Amino acid sequence: MRVVIVEDNVLLSNGLELLLSAKGFHVAAITQDAPGFVAAVTEHRPDVTIVDVRLPPTFRDEGIHAAIHARRRHPGLPVLVLSQYVEQQYAGELISDGRGGVGYLLKDRVSRVSEFIDALRRVAAGGTVMDPEVIGQLLTRHVRDPMAALTPREREVLALMAEGKDNATIAARLVITENAVHKHIGNIFAKLGLSPADSGHRRVLAVLTYLSRQ
């Protein structure tokens, strides 16, 4: 079973390679950044991947972005996120795309090698493996934060709205049509619970909701 790993911690990545090799896996590539991971997936077509969330250069959410991008290019690509952090904004998108083959484990909570290997095999077979702590944080965010339902693109549109950009400027900045911007804004209003009765004030209310959570 071929595995591609993206992990910037050399000691951890080397340890994973030794562990997986001993368990009969073939580590086809180890990369330390998102572009290298996407390229390795295209080259090796792995049976499963292991992804850290925070990677160079900003150490924020490059890893999970790369996983989402790779699954769009290679539908159904099995991804096991192995991280110290729950990246709430994009984890939901990765998990809920309906294709399966997804896992999210927290490094500090993996207590036994056998559990990790079993999780990796289940993800490779198209299953879903979630740490209960991850599920708890995602559910908590969904309940408390009305912006949790927004897609990454809708968040980008809303962020530009908060900068005072009009629809034409937003379209040019994101390289999409004004009609697409209009549809995104309509979706934002609906997901934030802003009814048409609010008329022109909906744009202001949406921006205030965004700013209150920054």
Side-chain angles (χ1 to χ4, degrees):
M1 187 179 295
R2 297 183 309 281
V3 184
V4 167
I5 300 170
V6 56
E7 168 62 65
D8 68 295
N9 184 311
V10 176
L11 291 178
L12 180 55
S13 63
N14 287 348
L16 284 171
E17 182 178 21
L18 291 172
L19 170 65
L20 294 176
S21 297
K23 296 296 182 179
F25 293 84
H26 169 61
V27 179
I30 298 176
T31 66
Q32 295 183 334
D33 57 33
F37 168 73
V38 175
V41 166
T42 300
E43 178 181 355
H44 297 286
R45 300 298 177 95
D47 299 297
V48 66
T49 62
I50 300 174
V51 177
D52 189 14
V53 168
R54 300 189 176 183
L55 299 172
T58 68
F59 295 96
R60 295 179 63 184
D61 51 21
E62 288 88 349
I64 204 160
H65 269 293
I68 292 171
H69 177 62
R71 277 173 68 90
R72 286 174 181 164
R73 293 182 61 178
H74 307 282
L77 172 73
V79 173
L80 175 61
V81 177
L82 181 63
S83 178
Q84 291 177 298
Y85 312 96
V86 180
E87 209 307 310
Q88 296 176 330
Q89 180 174 343
Y90 297 105
E93 180 181 353
L94 177 65
I95 294 162
S96 64
D97 70 2
R99 297 191 180 101
V102 175
Y104 202 128
L105 300 179
L106 298 178
K107 292 176 180 177
D108 294 341
R109 289 169 56 87
V110 177
S111 58
R112 291 187 295 181
V113 169
S114 60
E115 291 178 352
F116 172 71
I117 296 299
D118 178 62
L120 190 62
R121 293 189 187 279
R122 286 163 59 192
V123 169
T128 300
V129 179
M130 300 292 296
D131 187 297
E133 178 68 20
V134 175
I135 296 174
Q137 290 196 38
L138 291 178
L139 289 176
T140 299
R141 180 180 177 88
H142 180 72
V143 170
R144 296 180 180 176
D145 188 357
M147 288 186 57
L150 301 186
T151 66
R153 176 62 83 186
E154 289 163 358
R155 285 176 173 272
E156 290 176 332
V157 170
L158 184 51
L160 291 171
M161 289 167 60
E163 294 178 11
K165 309 300 184 186
D166 60 22
N167 288 10
T169 302
I170 294 173
R173 182 75 66 85
L174 298 179
V175 196
I176 57 178
T177 65
E178 285 192 50
N179 186 50
V181 173
H182 180 74
K183 289 181 179 178
H184 284 311
I185 292 175
N187 290 338
I188 290 168
F189 291 160
K191 291 178 179 180
L192 295 184
L194 302 175
S195 71
D198 292 318
S199 187
H201 297 298
R202 288 194 297 173
R203 197 175 184 104
V204 175
L205 293 173
V207 167
L208 288 175
T209 300
Y210 171 82
L211 293 176
S212 70
R213 284 158 176 79
Q214 300 309 299

